[in-house]
Amino acid sequence: MKLTNPEVTTKSREERSDPTRAEFTEQWMYSPSETANRRTVRILGGSLEEGVERRFEEPAQQADWWLSPDWNTLYLATGWSDRTANKPVGQRYRPQATQLFKSTDQGESWEKLRWPEDQNISAFRFLDAQRGYLIGWGPHIWRTENGGEHWEEIPVPAEARDPENERERFDLVALGQDNVLRMTFFDQARGESVIYSLPWGETEPRFEVAIGDYGVNDIAANEQGEVYILARKGRPTSLMPKEQLVHHPTSIWHWNGSQLTELHEFDSDLVGYALYITPEEGLLFDGVNEGSLLGKDVTAVNYDGGADWRIEDEGRSAQGGYYDTRTGERWRVAGYSLYRREIP
């Protein structure tokens, strides 16, 4: 899935009114708002041997997707707003039109599902092709048990909402191997980050644990319901000025249902953004070394319950990456190259 800017071209030197200055071929190319209106989302598919082809394209400035483990079923949500239009009087945001699509043949053909266009979809969290959740601004959560034919809205904790911001979001929403959806947000009344959990089939999230003055970056849970939390000291980044993020270390925490334990604190230069449970029940920390001039990707792997971590420098920051928790394969794109390694 790729968000793509429109192609922008310039006139040849002979066509310019001033040969010393570049000129765009069309007037709209001078306007950032017009350019934003022409952004699209693409689904690309194929193989390394036979090449990649475009299988879907739709106007969008925001998009998220879910791909089933067998690669047959895809869900895609798009969001588009007219960036050239003025905001409605008294409104904080421009209206956004949301669309929901589904494919059951690896993206060869697509069905547009019924969905109210004024309800944003920011993320998918699916158990399988039939069962899953949508998460949107508000925040809102919807659940389906029949492949998107019907959606049931799930009530969210009142403390997660901001009456002055209809586009409030959770800090994080994660679906564990135990089929439990967990959501985190900073509870202003408590003055700390909290985690709520929603086991599949239940009708309302319940409070699980508070993690204090930390922003939660990721959560991983195994089939037995053991929860590992990747968190950074200090309030969530959305509530802190960037200059205050210096010397706020990232930690790994363990929650067994009754006790919260800090397993490891990384050097403050290492900022984690993803946490995985590997096929051999190890922990994989995925992050960035912000202490280097250009920023470098790093991984840290642990197999002894959080004490001893093997940190590896993966080089310059990637444009994209993926880790398969079933096979242990890690993929990343950096520059014009595709890299693959195994982390069992």
Side-chain angles (χ1 to χ4, degrees):
M1 190 266 283
K2 181 177 177 63
L3 283 166
T4 306
N5 287 318
E7 183 179 0
V8 175
T9 57
T10 58
K11 297 178 181 178
S12 64
R13 183 180 294 272
E14 293 75 17
E15 296 176 307
R16 301 174 193 170
S17 57
D18 181 351
T20 64
R21 299 181 60 184
E23 293 181 9
F24 293 118
T25 54
E26 296 187 50
Q27 190 61 36
W28 65 264
M29 297 178 182
Y30 290 94
S31 168
S33 298
E34 292 280 7
T35 301
N37 279 359
R38 289 166 170 78
R39 289 178 187 152
T40 63
V41 60
R42 294 175 182 172
I43 295 292
L44 308 174
S47 67
L48 296 179
E49 295 78 16
E50 298 179 4
V52 174
E53 63 180 4
R54 189 182 309 175
R55 297 186 177 176
F56 178 93
E57 185 162 16
E58 183 74 17
Q61 296 130 353
Q62 171 192 316
D64 194 57
W65 71 323
W66 181 82
L67 174 65
S68 63
D70 63 8
W71 290 21
N72 286 326
T73 302
L74 296 89
Y75 290 88
L76 172 70
T78 66
W80 185 90
S81 62
D82 185 354
R83 301 294 177 85
T84 64
N86 294 324
K87 297 174 185 176
V89 177
Q91 297 297 309
R92 185 173 178 179
Y93 304 103
R94 295 182 183 89
Q96 177 181 274
T98 300
Q99 298 185 91
L100 179 60
F101 301 90
K102 179 181 179 181
S103 172
T104 56
D105 55 8
Q106 300 187 359
E108 293 291 346
S109 60
W110 292 83
E111 171 192 7
K112 183 178 178 181
L113 301 181
R114 294 191 303 273
W115 187 260
E117 70 172 21
D118 61 344
Q119 293 282 13
N120 163 265
I121 300 171
S122 300
F124 291 89
R125 299 291 184 265
F126 269 63
L127 284 70
D128 52 49
Q130 295 298 311
R131 301 177 299 160
Y133 300 94
L134 299 179
I135 296 91
W137 293 333
H140 290 280
I141 299 175
W142 299 271
R143 179 170 57 200
T144 185
E145 300 182 48
N146 55 12
E149 291 296 321
H150 173 73
W151 295 93
E152 169 195 12
E153 183 163 5
I154 304 295
V156 304
E159 297 80 5
R161 292 192 165 169
D162 180 354
E164 297 181 0
N165 183 10
E166 69 272 21
R167 295 190 178 182
E168 184 73 9
R169 304 183 185 210
F170 291 115
D171 293 328
L172 174 79
V173 180
L175 182 62
Q177 297 175 10
D178 57 352
N179 291 347
V180 174
L181 188 75
R182 292 178 174 87
M183 59 218 71
T184 73
F185 59 91
F186 191 83
D187 188 325
Q188 297 285 354
R190 297 176 63 114
E192 57 185 346
S193 287
V194 295
I195 300 175
Y196 278 70
S197 61
L198 179 67
W200 182 261
E202 294 196 6
T203 58
E204 189 171 343
R206 61 172 184 260
F207 174 80
E208 186 165 19
V209 65
I211 196 171
D213 195 22
Y214 279 81
V216 177
N217 288 356
D218 203 4
I219 296 175
N222 62 21
E223 294 180 359
Q224 293 73 42
E226 288 187 279
V227 180
Y228 297 92
I229 304 165
L230 177 68
R232 192 177 187 190
K233 183 68 175 175
R235 297 191 175 193
T237 55
S238 60
L239 301 177
M240 292 182 65
K242 188 174 182 180
E243 59 271 14
Q244 293 184 17
L245 292 174
V246 181
H247 306 304
H248 284 265
T250 301
S251 299
I252 305 289
W253 297 75
H254 176 249
W255 167 249
N256 63 7
S258 60
Q259 184 175 357
L260 182 67
T261 306
E262 186 177 24
L263 299 180
H264 184 79
E265 181 179 284
F266 291 94
D267 183 271
S268 60
D269 286 341
L270 301 183
V271 179
Y273 54 80
L275 183 66
Y276 306 97
I277 298 175
T278 74
E280 295 186 2
E281 292 294 313
L283 292 175
L284 170 61
F285 164 103
D286 198 350
V288 175
N289 183 350
E290 293 190 344
S292 63
L293 182 62
L294 299 178
K296 292 184 177 181
D297 289 341
V298 295
T299 58
V301 186
N302 170 268
Y303 293 99
D304 63 2
D308 183 33
W309 292 81
R310 186 179 76 246
I311 299 175
E312 296 188 17
D313 183 347
E314 290 196 321
R316 60 178 174 173
S317 297
Q319 291 101 326
Y322 172 73
Y323 179 72
D324 192 323
T325 57
R326 297 173 299 112
T327 65
E329 290 180 315
R330 173 170 169 81
W331 300 83
R332 62 192 300 269
V333 177
Y336 295 96
S337 300
L338 175 66
Y339 297 86
R340 174 185 173 274
R341 61 181 289 210
E342 292 187 5
I343 304 177

